[in-house]
Amino acid sequence: MLFGPLKPVGLNHPVTGEGYCAVIQLRAENDEKTMYNLAGCQTGLRFGPQKKIVKMIPGLENAEILRYGVVHRNSYLNGPKVLTLTGQLKGYPNVFIAGQLSGVEGYVEKCR
């Protein structure tokens, strides 16, 4: 998804040509692909409203919800202050930091 979760830019219904209001990404939680999560949909909603909203999504009306979403707290380092351009800790050059801990959310942001 080029524009991220819930942003249906450029996506149209293949039959009607109508634009979508939102789009979600389902990501497999296990190798058997019997459980999926809604990628990038952290929320502060209580579980009741979450259940109601998920059941409104076409195709998920009968979904069994195993675990509800919660807002998570990301921890990260102040990269410019403590990291070199190669991702090493300035005080410990044998330690490399990458991903969310380096202060970026995704992978593309780390590319130079």
Side-chain angles (χ1 to χ4, degrees), residues 23-52:
V23 64
I24 60 167
Q25 177 185 358
L26 295 175
R27 184 181 309 146
E29 281 282 320
N30 60 3
D31 290 337
E32 298 78 27
K33 294 184 173 50
T34 59
M35 297 185 297
Y36 293 84
N37 71 45
L38 296 173
C41 293
Q42 296 82 19
T43 180
L45 289 175
R46 296 188 183 275
F47 296 165
Q50 284 187 50
K51 181 177 182 177
K52 182 178 179 180

Side-chain angles (χ1 to χ4, degrees), residues 91-109:
Y92 299 89
N94 60 330
V95 178
F96 291 81
I97 305 294
Q100 286 183 342
L101 191 58
S102 66
V104 297
E105 186 66 28
Y107 301 102
V108 175
E109 294 91 340

Side-chain angles (χ1 to χ4, degrees), residues 3-23:
F3 291 94
L6 303 177
K7 296 180 185 172
V9 176
L11 294 175
N12 296 314
H13 191 282
V15 176
T16 67
E18 292 182 48
Y20 293 107
C21 296
V23 64

Side-chain angles (χ1 to χ4, degrees), residues 60-88:
L60 297 182
E61 303 90 349
N62 299 315
E64 178 186 356
I65 300 172
L66 303 176
R67 187 173 54 233
Y68 289 94
V70 295
V71 174
H72 62 272
R73 178 177 164 258
N74 289 332
S75 297
Y76 60 92
L77 300 171
N78 182 348
K81 184 176 181 181
V82 300
L83 298 176
T84 66
L85 289 177
T86 56
Q88 296 163 278

